[in-house]
Amino acid sequence: MPTMRNVLLLALLMLLPSCRGTRPSRFAEEAGPLVLVKEARLPSSEAWYVRFATHGWFDVRRGPEEPWLRIEVITPTSGVRIREIAPESALSDLRWGDRPVRVRGVLRGERAAEAANSLLEQAQAYSDGAYRSIPGPNSNTFVAAMAAATPHLRSTMHHNAVGKDYVSPIGFAATPSKTGGRLDTPWLGVALGLQEGIELHLAGLQFGVGLWPPRVCIPFLPEVGPAGAANGL
């Protein structure tokens, strides 16, 4: 039987903020097609009151001889940007100098090549109207919409990915992990999913209790609980 000390130690570990997760460098030895859904906290050059938020994007490679492409909405005026990047950038564990990058979703092989082509087609046709940091639409709205519309691509998104749940005026959709559903308006919504757990969305912020892995999500704070592997691993 576990001792009380062991039980308390396990509980403490469960409550520690998750700072691990899947790093891009893990994929350095893989040569085939890859789709990676990534996130990083906003850089220190941004206003202090938004630095808690995360930014999401896609890095894709359609084949072993193909270049890496980055797909994202990077600024309020950039629109969707598709650009070739060096392998070192695609596999780096840092962005903006000191922000750790985490992979939230992965596809490999033929499905990755198909998904990459789908993402590129969607990105070229994507239009979300006027950019708004809060509640959206913004860069995270783009990632959530593209991932949801791409077959076989399952991802999670950080609870501080402001804008990921934005819809207008009201909508019901699958959660990013495709293990549940969400009902949202621009300012208020809810989600229930096997991976997402129970979420309340309020003005672009998320409160929630995750189930797989177990965690607590409070706006402005890191995820509390054990880090999960990227979907697809």
Side-chain angles (χ1 to χ4, degrees), residues 30-219:
E30 299 195 25
L34 275 173
V35 171
L36 304 179
V37 186
K38 295 182 175 181
E39 69 177 18
R41 196 157 57 89
L42 292 180
S44 56
S45 58
E46 296 290 333
W48 65 268
Y49 52 84
V50 298
R51 292 178 198 165
F52 76 93
T54 63
H55 166 73
W57 72 95
F58 302 96
D59 282 349
V60 305
R61 183 179 62 200
R62 290 179 285 182
E65 304 302 322
E66 295 286 334
W68 278 98
L69 300 174
R70 179 160 291 170
I71 309 170
E72 64 183 340
V73 175
I74 189 62
T75 72
T77 59
S78 70
V80 179
R81 182 180 294 176
I82 303 171
R83 60 190 176 94
E84 185 174 330
I85 59 173
E88 293 79 10
S89 180
L91 300 171
S92 175
D93 293 336
L94 296 174
R95 191 172 184 187
W96 301 307
D98 62 350
R99 296 306 198 210
V101 177
R102 297 293 179 262
V103 177
R104 288 278 185 165
V106 182
L107 268 182
R108 296 177 171 89
E110 292 184 6
R111 286 185 172 181
E114 294 172 3
N117 287 328
S118 175
L119 285 168
L120 289 167
E121 291 176 5
Q122 293 179 63
Q124 291 167 354
Y126 182 80
S127 175
D128 61 3
Y131 183 105
R132 289 188 299 177
S133 297
I134 297 176
N138 59 25
S139 61
N140 293 318
T141 312
F142 167 73
V143 170
M146 294 299 98
T150 303
H152 311 299
L153 182 58
R154 297 172 54 245
S155 179
T156 56
M157 296 186 73
H158 198 284
H159 69 283
N160 284 330
V162 177
K164 68 182 179 65
D165 305 304
Y166 176 84
V167 296
S168 180
I170 186 172
F172 179 80
T175 58
S177 72
K178 295 185 171 74
T179 64
R182 63 185 182 92
L183 177 64
D184 280 291
T185 69
W187 296 97
L188 183 66
V190 294
L192 179 64
L194 181 60
Q195 287 190 267
E196 288 80 6
I198 303 169
E199 298 178 357
L200 172 65
H201 307 150
L202 180 62
L205 303 176
Q206 176 190 313
F207 301 81
V209 178
L211 303 177
W212 180 32
R215 65 196 182 281
V216 177
C217 300
I218 301 172

